[in-house]
């Protein structure tokens, strides 16, 4: 099985394919005739970015990637590759800052409250529409936090492991986080890739919550990282700065029971094993 990647650099490094150009998308799908399409493209916009670039600009960019590009792929499948299966990477943010229930499952109402969340929710609805109206095999994976060493330095997981390393080595006096009490459903990104593969190969297309179902606070993450650094008494080494919080959120905790029942999926790493993997990767990166 060969893999064809489409990115900002184009198809496997060739001239760029513009997701918002239906002809370009159809040409790629027609030429490749893929068995599986993983639509992972995303625009991540913070409140700081929206205030800098304008809410309308952020919404337009999000709509172009999360909805318009997706629809072009769904249309291309319908027209010239009806055998293809598509997986849409949605987000737990579709449930909003204050979800209707906790934990959330596939029946929890959407309450999107940002350009990112609104357009991700619209992408899920378009998948449902193409399934129902055109018989296209398209499934949505509603993804909760999934961590890997490839995360950028701005993500809280990377700020913690790198910040703890700085404190442990004497390069910094303390670690600063937004809130130690913030609750997150943290998973391991390779496990989520496995879940998406299982979903797209499932007998019927559908929507699935992909999560660990385990709530952990930022404080739990910080404690685990300091333990790996050999520091047990860390409370005086951490500062809380609410200004780092982009949005005040309720508990986004997913219920993966339906996914487990349908595909047998379950996480391969525990929370502590995930933190350890991130810590080891951070140390290797510093040693280079």
């Amino acid at each position: 099985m060969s893999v064809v990647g489409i990115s900002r650099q184009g198809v496997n490094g060739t001239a760029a394919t513009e997701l918002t150009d239906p002809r370009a998308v159809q040409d790629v799908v027609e030429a490749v005739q893929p068995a599986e399409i993983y639509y992972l493209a995303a625009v991540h916009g913070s409140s700081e970015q929206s205030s800098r670039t304008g809410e309308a600009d952020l919404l337009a960019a999000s709509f172009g990637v999360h909805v318009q590009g997706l629809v072009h792929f769904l249309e291309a499948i319908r027209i010239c590759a009806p055998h293809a299966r598509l997986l849409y990477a949605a987000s737990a943010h579709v449930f909003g800052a204050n979800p209707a229930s906790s934990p959330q499952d596939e029946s929890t109402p959407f309450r999107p409250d940002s350009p990112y969340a609104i357009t991700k929710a619209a992408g899920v609805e378009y998948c449902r529409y193409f399934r129902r109206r055109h018989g296209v095999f398209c499934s949505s994976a509603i993804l909760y936090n999934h961590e890997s060493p490839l995360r950028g330095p701005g993500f809280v997981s990377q700020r913690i492991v790198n910040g703890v390393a700085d404190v442990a080595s004497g390069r910094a006096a303390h670690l600063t986080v937004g809130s130690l009490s913030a609750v997150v459903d943290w998973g391991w990104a390779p496990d989520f890739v496995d879940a998406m593969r299982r979903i797209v190969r499932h007998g019927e297309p559908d929507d699935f919550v992909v999560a660990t179902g385990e709530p952990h606070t930022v404080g739990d993450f910080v404690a685990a990282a300091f333990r790996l650094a050999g520091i047990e008494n860390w409370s005086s080494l951490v500062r809380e700065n609410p200004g780092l919080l982009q949005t005040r959120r309720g508990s986004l905790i997913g219920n993966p029971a339906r996914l487990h029942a349908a595909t047998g999926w379950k996480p391969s790493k525990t929370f502590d094993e995930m933190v350890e993997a991130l810590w080891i990767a951070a140390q290797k990166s510093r040693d280079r």
Side-chain angles (χ1 to χ4, degrees):
M1 178 185 295
S2 62
V3 177
V4 176
I6 300 177
S7 70
R8 293 181 179 89
Q9 288 71 45
V11 180
N12 285 358
T14 64
T17 299
E18 178 54 58
L19 296 179
T20 56
D21 180 349
R23 184 70 256 177
V25 170
Q26 185 171 327
D27 286 346
V28 169
V29 173
E30 189 169 23
V32 174
Q33 288 295 308
E36 301 170 358
I37 298 173
Y38 294 84
Y39 194 89
L40 311 179
V43 173
H44 296 282
S46 66
S47 55
E48 176 185 350
Q49 180 183 347
S50 63
S51 63
R52 185 173 65 249
T53 64
E55 191 84 8
D57 290 341
L58 182 57
L59 181 58
S62 299
F63 181 83
V65 173
H66 302 157
V67 182
Q68 197 173 13
L70 169 67
V71 170
H72 293 334
F73 271 93
L74 294 172
E75 271 287 279
I77 292 172
R78 183 181 70 83
I79 294 170
C80 58
H83 61 281
R85 298 181 171 202
L86 181 140
L87 185 288
Y88 178 60
S91 166
H93 286 265
V94 299
F95 298 122
N98 295 291
S101 61
S102 188
Q104 299 84 49
D105 60 23
E106 294 79 7
S107 65
T108 303
F110 288 174
R111 290 181 175 177
D113 54 5
S114 69
Y116 175 84
I118 291 167
T119 50
K120 280 289 188 179
V124 174
E125 295 296 347
Y126 266 107
C127 284
R128 292 171 176 172
Y129 170 77
F130 269 80
R131 284 202 304 258
R132 183 175 64 250
R133 181 68 180 270
H134 300 298
V136 172
F137 193 113
C138 48
S139 296
S140 297
I142 303 175
L143 305 174
Y144 283 66
N145 281 67
H146 42 289
E147 305 297 331
S148 89
L150 300 178
R151 281 287 207 193
F155 285 89
V156 65
S157 56
Q158 294 301 306
R159 290 207 308 269
I160 291 173
V161 293
N162 288 306
V164 168
D166 287 341
V167 172
S169 65
R171 287 190 291 267
H174 58 264
L175 165 71
T176 301
V177 297
S179 171
L180 288 169
S181 61
V183 177
V184 182
D185 185 332
W186 267 299
W188 180 235
D191 286 341
F192 281 45
V193 172
D194 175 47
M196 290 189 286
R197 178 188 62 84
R198 290 171 184 249
I199 290 169
V200 86
R201 296 177 185 179
H202 184 51
E204 297 293 333
D206 211 333
D207 308 319
F208 293 95
V209 163
V210 184
T212 70
E214 296 183 3
H216 290 278
T217 65
V218 170
D220 293 337
F221 200 122
V222 170
F226 271 113
R227 280 197 300 272
L228 291 165
I231 300 172
E232 292 291 340
N233 299 316
W234 51 267
S235 58
S236 64
L237 303 175
V238 178
R239 304 286 187 273
E240 292 182 276
N241 177 8
L244 294 176
L245 298 174
Q246 294 180 5
T247 307
R248 298 281 184 178
R249 290 196 169 272
S251 297
L252 281 176
I253 308 299
N255 179 359
R258 190 160 177 266
L259 174 63
H260 175 72
T263 70
W265 179 86
K266 60 182 180 179
S268 70
K269 283 191 185 298
T270 66
F271 173 76
D272 286 335
E273 289 170 342
M274 178 203 71
V275 177
E276 183 177 12
L278 294 173
W279 173 261
I280 291 172
Q283 303 317 299
K284 289 181 179 178
S285 177
R286 285 167 176 266
D287 292 341
R288 285 201 292 267

